[in-house]
Each structure stands twice: as structure tokens, then as C-alpha cells.
Amino acid sequence: MAEPHPLAPWLRLSLTPGLGPASQRQLLAAFGLPHLIFEAGYGAIASVVGGPAARLLLDHDSRAAVEQALRWAEEPGNTLVTLGDPAYPASLLEIPDPPVCLYVKGDTGLLSRPALAVVGARSATPQGEANAEAFAACLSGAGLSIVSGMALGIDAAAHRGGLSGPGSTVAVIGTGADRIYPARNGDLARRIAAAGAIVSEFPLGMGPLAHNFPRRNRLIAGLACGVLVVEAAVKSGSLITARLATDCGREVFAIPGSIHSPLARGCHRLIRDGAKLVECAEDILEELRLAVPKAAPIGETGHFQGGAGDDKVLSALGHDPVDVDTLVHRTSLTPEALSAILLSLELEGRVARLPGGRLQRL
């Protein structure tokens, strides 16, 4: 008879439905390694986690799921990392409930490198996405891995910025590691798997269940030495990540925004509660006592040569969202002349239209 795969007992333990990570760790603490748990028998297991959980663990047939995971791990670039593995990130051992098993696509070494989480709104403004990408690129250039959740908006922008530097990026997802969610991030996911790492604690095939995403946020916070919130509403999941980071003793940073923007209110609340206000990536690097790379300041990577009308409109825009009627009043231009200038500025990437017909300077 062939020897069982050394990862099989770990997978059997972690893939028993209804037996949560806390109970799994209780059993590991009591018996040592997973195969010793199953050898201990019903009575010994029940004395640790109770009779129903012991019966569940011993009676559930997880062979098909275990074999599927082992086949997945044999594919190039895929790795299973358990609590007993030297490659398991030490930073996750500092959080209250580290997962017993991690599914990783890409470079497992990134999980143990210094990292910063960059999170924020899915429905981000163009300026917010530009800020996230630029901050992440600068931080990655300084050697920090950028950790985020591969959602649309700020997360995706942060991953793109991370991929542009040597620090690269880690995506912690709320589905199985064999799933891509959202589908619009398919190309990004493939880039991350090739040059960074995608991490999940959920079984293969797990779909995008709503309650899994708050759970993955604790891993985003745990893998990083701090969390930067770029844009967030007051009831944003990003604030959950920030709170979890605080609970783990991590630093929390926030970028302020317009007092008129709903997506700035979450950041402002964090700053009132003690998060560090940052205006450039260098603020974070200095706080973390890391070397500051020589790079163009955020927002100054490109300059456009516009006419006097362009300058007048940009000056009237300021840095808060503005509606067209207000701009007509501020500039004294006719609606036709203003529309022509705004179209030119949009094409140059200097102005963006927001929901509700408002405009914002980039």
C-alpha cells in the first residue's frame, strides 16, 4: 500500500465542514500533528472539541476533496502551505485565528516579506485609483510587497502599482484559489499569479459568498506591517480591515479627501480615530523607517501643455467635485466654450466625470 501523502491529514482536518479553524487549532495544540489527531480516536478527540465535532471529523468522507487539492498542488505555480510548514508566514501567527492551510498561486516567498496593505472602495474615483496605483508603485519600489483583496477599484489599482516594482503584490481572495472573482480582474489575476502571489484559505471551488470577504480581510491585515486606506465610505469593508490591523498592532494610514465626497468620510473617521494622515508614499516609508526611493512625486509623473482656457477651467475646478453649472458661474465661459475645454481636458486625462454629472480634476 502506498504511503499517504504528508499533506493529506492536514487537508482532511481543514476540509471537514463545520469544524472551524479554532477547533482545528485546538486539536493541533492537543495532539501535535494532524495524523496523530485521527489516530487518537473518538474519546480523545471528544475531550478536546466535544462529541459532535469529534464524530463529524471522524465520519466525514473528505477523500475526494483531499485528492482534488493534492492534484491542484501538483500544478506548476501552486502550493499548499500549512501551519507546520516553514514557509507559513510568521506574521499570520500573530493574528487571533490563523488558518490551518493556505492555497497559494505564485511566489510563496512574498508572504514572508515586509508588506503594506492598500485597500479602499470598489466604486473608487479616478483620482482615488490613480493615488492607489502611484502609492503602491512607490512602496513596491522601496521593497514592500503590496497586499490587497483583488476587488475592483482601489484593490485592483494597488495590485497594478505593486506589480510595477520589485516588492510585487499579494492578492488575498475570498473564493477558492481556482476561482477568479470578479471576472473583470481575470487578466490582473494572471499577472499576479505569474509575478506575485494569490492566497486563499478557502477550499477549491468555493464561490464568492458574502461572509467570506470580511474573513479574508483579517489575512490582508495580518500579512502586512500596516494598512493604507485610500478611499472608503463610512460603512466600508476597508474600515474593518483597518480595525483588524489595529487589533493586531499594525499601523493604519489614511489619505484625506474632499469634505464633500462620501468616499472620503471613512478615511476622515480613521484619521479622527488615530490613523496617520498621509499625503505621499514617503510619509509611510518614513513612518516605517524604510529608505525612500527616488521617484517622481505622486501626481507629478506627467504634465500637459494646455492653453489659457485650460488653466482657467482647472483653476475653477479646484480639487473638489464640481457640477457644470457651478463651473459656468466660476469661469464666466459660455456652456459651449466650457464643454469644448472640458472635452479636451478629459481626453488628456486631466479631468474625470463622476456619477451625477459632476467633474473632478485629476
Side-chain angles (χ1 to χ4, degrees):
M1 180 180 294
E3 287 291 321
H5 195 288
L7 289 176
W10 286 97
L11 288 166
R12 182 182 173 188
L13 176 64
S14 66
L15 291 171
T16 300
L19 189 73
S23 295
Q24 295 167 19
R25 290 191 304 275
Q26 279 183 287
L27 290 167
L28 289 169
F31 299 103
L33 295 172
H35 73 275
L36 298 176
I37 298 172
F38 296 105
E39 292 172 3
Y42 172 81
I45 296 173
S47 68
V48 177
V49 293
R55 183 54 58 202
L56 184 68
L57 181 66
L58 294 174
D59 290 350
H60 177 72
D61 186 357
S62 59
R63 285 176 295 181
V66 169
E67 290 171 6
Q68 179 191 15
L70 291 174
R71 287 195 301 272
W72 178 87
E74 290 174 354
E75 296 175 11
N78 294 349
T79 309
L80 288 166
V81 181
T82 70
L83 273 174
D85 193 319
Y88 194 92
S91 59
L92 287 187
L93 299 177
E94 300 171 1
I95 69 175
D97 52 350
V100 167
C101 187
L102 294 171
Y103 299 75
V104 184
K105 289 182 72 71
D107 184 1
T108 58
L110 287 176
L111 306 187
S112 298
R113 290 186 56 178
L116 190 93
V118 180
V119 298
R122 288 174 171 83
S123 301
T125 67
Q127 185 64 65
E129 291 190 24
N131 286 342
E133 186 166 349
F135 269 74
C138 184
L139 296 167
S140 178
L144 286 171
S145 295
I146 303 301
V147 181
S148 198
M150 212 167 74
L152 298 175
I154 296 300
D155 286 18
H159 289 309
R160 291 194 298 270
L163 286 168
S164 71
S168 194
T169 192
V170 175
V172 184
I173 61 175
T175 65
D178 57 340
R179 301 286 296 270
I180 294 177
Y181 179 83
R184 284 167 56 186
N185 278 344
D187 288 342
L188 178 62
R190 285 183 279 274
R191 289 178 61 200
I192 296 172
I198 297 175
V199 184
S200 175
E201 67 177 306
F202 300 108
L204 298 176
M206 176 70 73
L209 304 179
H211 61 269
N212 285 344
F213 291 91
R215 278 194 58 77
R216 67 94 195 263
N217 289 350
R218 82 193 195 287
L219 301 187
I220 293 175
L223 283 169
C225 58
V227 173
L228 169 65
V229 182
V230 178
E231 283 185 334
V234 171
K235 294 185 178 180
S236 167
S238 301
L239 270 62
I240 297 175
T241 306
R243 176 178 55 78
L244 293 168
T246 300
D247 292 344
C248 296
R250 275 42 167 179
E251 299 284 355
V252 176
F253 306 94
I255 299 176
S258 167
I259 61 172
H260 304 293
S261 171
L263 292 178
R265 290 173 187 162
C267 293
H268 292 169
R269 173 173 290 185
L270 289 173
I271 292 168
R272 285 197 300 272
D273 292 343
K276 294 175 175 62
L277 183 156
V278 294
E279 296 177 316
C280 62
E282 287 80 358
D283 293 340
I284 297 171
L285 295 172
E286 289 172 6
E287 184 69 29
L288 298 176
R289 295 179 175 82
L290 295 173
V292 180
K294 295 187 181 300
I298 302 301
E300 295 184 10
T301 55
H303 299 276
F304 296 92
Q305 301 300 318
D310 292 8
D311 294 338
K312 183 177 184 178
V313 172
L314 289 173
S315 177
L317 270 168
H319 294 280
D320 290 342
V322 177
D323 59 66
V324 173
D325 289 341
T326 300
L327 275 180
V328 168
H329 175 73
R330 289 179 181 176
T331 60
S332 299
L333 293 168
T334 65
E336 294 77 14
L338 178 61
S339 294
I341 294 172
L342 287 173
L343 177 60
S344 174
L345 291 171
E346 282 187 81
L347 292 174
E348 291 176 347
R350 304 171 77 185
V351 168
R353 290 188 183 272
L354 305 179
R358 294 188 301 170
L359 299 121
Q360 184 166 38
R361 181 176 177 175
L362 299 179

